[in-house]
Amino acid sequence: MGDNTARIDDRDIGTGPVFRPGEPGYDDDIAGFQTAYTHSPDLVVGAATAEDVRAAVEYAAGRELPVAVQATGHGLSVAAERGVVITTHRMTDIRVDPRTRIARVAAGVRAGALVEAAAPYGLAPLIGSSPSVGVVGYHLGGGIGLLAREFGYAADRVRRIELVTADGRVRTLTPEHELFAAVLGSGGNFGVVTALEVELLPVTEVYGGRLVFDTPLVEPALRAWREWTATVPDEVTSTVALMSYPDIPQIPQSLRGRYAASIRVAFHGAEADGERLVAPLRAVGERVEDDLRTMPYTESHTIHSDPDHPHAYAATNALLGAFTEETVTALLATAGPDGPVRAVVDIRHLGGALRDRDAAAAIDHRDAAYLVRVITMHAPGAGPAVPEEHGIVRSALAPWTVGHNLNFLYGAGSGADEEQTRAGYDAATYDRLAALKAKYDPRNMFRFNRNIRPAD
């Protein structure tokens, strides 16, 4: 079948393993957290070093093959058909410099591993709700973390990027380089990141946890949270999850088969102040769960208790300029206990340091006040279909919507639809990114993502 499928000796591609369809290890290496759909490339390169990545990109460029990258598969938006997939989960080196408060992380490092590496020095990275998410992918998508309102997007704390571009060159990017800001927020459009240097923060503890309200209190709890978010300081970051819990043994007996509202709180401050701040939420009424406490940062992922097992899902989102009483009514009528949509609805309070317009990363819609995510579950192998329920909720939220976050879109069209990708940015930002894409990746080699097409 020509050069595009020619057998490669491991010496030609690097030190890691190389797999082709049907060979032992192929399926295992491309398996990721998302199981609704997976990559199906002609070649999988299991990169163990940055040089392996460079060699794989050079090989693909020489044969005009597209390239996809996967560390953990949490953010898989477009599955690669044919081409080359570079898996980076073997690249797990972490170096922490406590003097400069900088951590260098290789491409396959997971958030939980970085938290554990930084903790002995009294430092912490800006992670999200799941410790199994890849650090690099999280930052390339922006990164709205547990303490985002106080410290901003994780991408804004990146200090150096090591990147392999479509020409097979290894580049070191600092904020002065024109690609630096473009890479942060564009989700892998400009090459393969082999390592990041990220700023760590002097955070050792947080006050936080969950307040869970049963069905009769869902509406008053959501309305109380809405009012409460207008009063809290930037040191408080919180979210609400609205969902029907499945009736399975893994769920606490008190929640099985119930529709509930779970308010998740993370506060960087003293416990006494945290207790005072959450008093209006507790005043809503009896909680099914209430585990608010001061915890070491190494346990902060328990605030959300995201599922840690691979599964099939699709998701959409809307960034809102305001979350009004009318917004609550519309959302509950659509996806509440008696609404037509059966999905997990996750509402995040934004603002604070997330509004920093002087930050370098290519992240727009920074004035958004809230983010509403809609997540639906699917059978493994069901494919990247976009459920009808997503459109129903987005339509209900349209009066308050100012855009969407590209990092929380999963399903068909979540990366391939140019109109949808454009809507993730301001027009000027998109045009700048498209011009850089034409300069550094004119053949659009890196297109299995929320793709920015090269400018004409």
Side-chain angles (χ1 to χ4, degrees):
M1 297 180 66
D3 285 346
N4 283 3
T5 56
R7 176 67 62 177
I8 305 173
D9 189 286
D10 285 357
R11 291 188 300 270
D12 297 323
I13 204 70
T15 61
V18 174
F19 306 104
R20 289 188 173 277
E23 294 180 346
Y26 175 93
D27 290 339
D28 290 341
D29 219 55
I30 60 174
F33 195 78
Q34 170 66 275
T35 63
Y37 47 100
T38 58
H39 295 303
S40 55
D42 295 316
L43 185 75
V44 178
V45 177
T49 67
E51 173 57 24
D52 291 352
V53 173
R54 191 207 62 75
V57 172
E58 183 178 64
Y59 168 84
R63 291 155 179 80
E64 297 188 2
L65 295 172
V67 172
V69 186
Q70 178 167 293
T72 68
H74 281 76
L76 178 59
S77 59
V78 175
E81 296 180 1
R82 305 186 68 87
V84 176
V85 168
I86 302 172
T87 58
T88 61
H89 58 85
R90 295 171 181 83
M91 301 172 64
T92 58
D93 182 60
I94 304 174
R95 303 174 196 170
V96 175
D97 185 337
R99 182 183 61 83
T100 61
R101 299 198 320 211
I102 297 291
R104 181 188 183 278
V105 295
V109 172
R110 294 174 182 253
L114 179 56
V115 170
E116 293 292 342
Y121 304 103
L123 300 172
L126 289 179
I127 64 162
S129 56
S130 172
S132 63
V133 166
V135 172
V136 167
Y138 174 72
H139 283 78
L140 297 188
I144 301 176
L146 294 168
L147 298 174
R149 283 174 38 78
E150 181 176 5
F151 297 112
Y153 286 97
D156 294 338
R157 301 284 177 161
V158 174
R159 296 295 174 256
R160 187 182 298 265
I161 304 168
E162 295 175 19
L163 178 76
V164 179
T165 45
D167 56 4
R169 288 181 56 187
V170 180
R171 302 173 187 263
T172 299
L173 309 181
T174 57
E176 296 75 27
H177 195 287
E178 65 179 350
L179 269 182
F180 183 85
V183 168
L184 298 171
S186 63
N189 265 279
F190 292 95
V192 185
V193 172
T194 58
L196 290 179
E197 290 186 7
V198 299
E199 181 183 349
L200 302 174
L201 300 165
V203 177
T204 58
E205 293 181 332
V206 294
Y207 171 85
R210 299 191 300 168
L211 300 173
V212 182
F213 297 90
D214 201 356
T215 311
L217 291 178
V218 164
E219 181 171 353
L222 184 57
R223 294 192 185 279
W225 177 79
R226 185 197 72 81
E227 295 175 359
W228 179 75
T229 56
T231 69
V232 296
D234 292 350
E235 290 80 9
V236 177
T237 301
S238 63
T239 66
V240 177
L242 307 175
M243 64 178 292
S244 293
Y245 286 84
D247 188 3
I248 57 176
Q250 293 89 334
I251 300 298
Q253 183 68 47
S254 58
L255 287 173
R256 291 180 196 172
R258 307 292 297 174
Y259 187 99
S262 177
I263 301 177
R264 289 83 60 95
V265 177
F267 170 56
H268 182 216
E271 182 167 342
D273 293 332
E275 289 284 301
R276 175 181 53 79
L277 284 167
V278 301
L281 300 178
R282 284 184 166 140
V284 170
E286 182 180 358
R287 281 85 62 198
V288 178
E289 289 187 15
D290 181 344
D291 63 359
L292 293 173
R293 67 197 188 282
T294 295
M295 65 183 76
Y297 193 79
T298 52
E299 296 178 10
S300 59
H301 63 277
T302 63
I303 294 173
H304 285 74
S305 294
D306 282 1
D308 59 1
H309 57 280
H311 59 281
Y313 51 94
T316 189
N317 69 86
L319 288 163
L320 308 184
F323 193 65
T324 68
E325 284 289 310
E326 292 75 20
T327 315
V328 173
T329 299
L331 188 58
L332 290 176
T334 304
D338 301 316
V341 173
R342 284 291 171 261
V344 177
V345 177
D346 179 85
I347 312 163
R348 301 188 175 206
H349 183 207
L350 305 180
L354 292 167
R355 296 182 184 271
D356 183 5
R357 287 187 167 272
D358 293 328
I363 301 169
D364 289 331
H365 306 311
R366 288 180 180 257
D367 288 338
Y370 297 84
L371 169 67
V372 178
R373 301 169 62 206
V374 183
I375 307 163
T376 49
M377 303 303 160
H378 299 268
V386 175
E388 181 182 356
E389 294 93 333
H390 291 189
I392 294 173
V393 179
R394 285 179 63 95
S395 294
L397 296 175
W400 304 278
T401 299
V402 297
H404 58 230
N405 185 298
L406 293 172
N407 207 40
F408 293 126
L409 293 173
Y410 309 112
S414 61
D417 187 327
E418 183 175 5
E419 181 180 356
Q420 188 182 60
T421 301
R422 281 180 175 273
Y425 302 98
D426 293 338
T429 301
Y430 186 89
D431 290 345
R432 175 172 59 85
L433 295 175
L436 288 171
K437 182 79 169 179
K439 180 177 179 179
Y440 289 96
D441 184 15
R443 295 199 302 258
N444 205 9
M445 177 187 294
F446 302 106
R447 59 179 178 265
F448 297 122
N449 47 39
R450 302 161 190 95
N451 193 233
I452 298 166
R453 303 181 192 278
D456 296 331

